[in-house]
Amino acid sequence: DTEVTQTPKHLVMGMTNKKSLKCEQHMGHRAMYWYKQKAKKPPELMFVYSYEKLSINESVPSRFSPECPNSSLLNLHLHALQPEDSALYLCASSQDGTRFTDTQYFGPGTRLTVL
Amino acid sequence: GNSVTQMEGPVTLSEEAFLTINCTYTATGYPSLFWYVQYPGEGLQLLLKATKADDKGSNKGFEATYRKETTSFHLEKGSVQVSDSAVYFCALADRGSTLGRLYFGRGTQLTVWP
């Protein structure tokens, strides 16, 4: 099973709302990633967790707050977002991130619209 | 530094035509190379990969060969179908990449007409 699941599939929120995106994998992977993808662009890396520890933060604004409660779950907490944050948010996982030959497996994404 | 250059799209083909999407890379070492495909409204799926020079990745009729001498990883398919319409991303991960960081090309939109 090489599936990464993400919920919700779509999310519409106002600029004052607080919401969360959820990602789950059961492949025993120990590295998990959040990406942001704007239309007609490649994914941009936001955060990387390795063994449940935040290892990379690509200077993402603090209105995005990641959390890795356990090795299978990854959350992205959203607060006070701006309309320009509207995008497809993709989660991915890989074995443990130590081998450059490893494949990253992507989820289907959450389409976020900020009004 | 690391970077990937993909041919500019969109690419429009008739069904059963031959497909080539060019991809060249710059890397500090000998990277692993990937092709991902993104169908409309979906996430990225690994299409194929190659982890060392002269390796050929293949899947679903698509092929790409890791050419160190030309730093290329061009995607080919002999006979495309309407269902191949998607965006294709070439990507690399370098030996020194932190936590398997992927460097993506800009993506190439492929549309196949019946």
Side-chain angles (χ1 to χ4, degrees):
Chain A
D1 182 12
T2 57
E3 189 177 26
V4 176
T5 59
Q6 289 187 244
T7 54
K9 194 169 174 61
H10 300 277
L11 179 62
V12 179
M13 59 186 290
M15 289 190 284
T16 57
N17 291 157
K18 285 186 183 181
K19 296 285 185 185
S20 297
L21 310 185
K22 181 179 168 182
C23 171
E24 197 163 3
Q25 56 86 16
H26 294 288
M27 294 179 276
H29 289 172
R30 305 308 297 271
M32 296 186 78
Y33 309 76
W34 279 117
Y35 288 87
K36 174 183 177 180
Q37 186 181 27
K38 299 286 264 185
K40 300 188 187 300
K41 297 289 188 185
E44 297 171 22
L45 185 64
M46 299 174 71
F47 303 103
V48 183
Y49 274 83
S50 177
Y51 292 88
E52 295 102 72
K53 286 188 168 46
L54 182 63
S55 300
I56 294 179
N57 176 344
E58 288 290 283
S59 302
V60 179
S62 60
R63 58 186 183 267
F64 295 91
S65 175
E67 179 196 19
C68 190
N70 60 56
S71 59
S72 301
L73 267 178
L74 186 66
N75 298 320
L76 186 62
H77 302 299
L78 314 172
H79 174 53
L81 294 193
Q82 303 297 309
E84 60 264 28
D85 296 322
S86 298
L88 181 68
Y89 288 84
L90 294 165
C91 174
S93 71
S94 70
Q95 197 66 40
D96 59 12
T98 60
R99 287 178 296 274
F100 71 110
T101 54
D102 284 347
T103 297
Q104 285 188 28
Y105 294 91
F106 285 80
T110 293
R111 176 76 58 189
L112 174 67
T113 302
V114 181
L115 301 176
Chain B
N2 296 313
S3 67
V4 175
T5 302
Q6 273 183 251
M7 66 183 280
E8 201 164 326
V11 174
T12 303
L13 294 172
S14 297
E15 208 164 25
E16 299 183 7
F18 185 85
L19 169 71
T20 300
I21 300 178
N22 289 339
C23 171
T24 57
Y25 67 87
T26 302
T28 52
Y30 296 118
S32 292
L33 299 171
F34 305 83
W35 276 103
Y36 281 90
V37 59
Q38 187 172 32
Y39 297 101
E42 297 186 12
L44 274 69
Q45 298 176 25
L46 177 70
L47 184 58
L48 52 85
K49 75 178 197 183
T51 59
K52 59 183 188 297
D54 300 325
D55 266 2
K56 177 187 279 190
S58 61
N59 186 25
K60 299 181 183 180
F62 291 90
E63 291 183 342
T65 301
Y66 187 157
R67 302 281 188 206
K68 186 178 69 172
E69 60 278 8
T70 54
T71 61
S72 65
F73 192 54
H74 304 320
L75 183 68
E76 296 182 337
K77 187 176 186 184
S79 176
V80 293
Q81 305 300 312
V82 172
S83 56
D84 294 325
S85 298
V87 180
Y88 293 80
F89 291 99
C90 184
L92 73 81
D94 199 5
R95 182 181 296 274
S97 296
T98 307
L99 290 168
R101 176 195 294 266
L102 286 173
Y103 295 83
F104 286 96
R106 68 200 299 173
T108 301
Q109 170 80 54
L110 170 66
T111 301
V112 181
W113 297 99

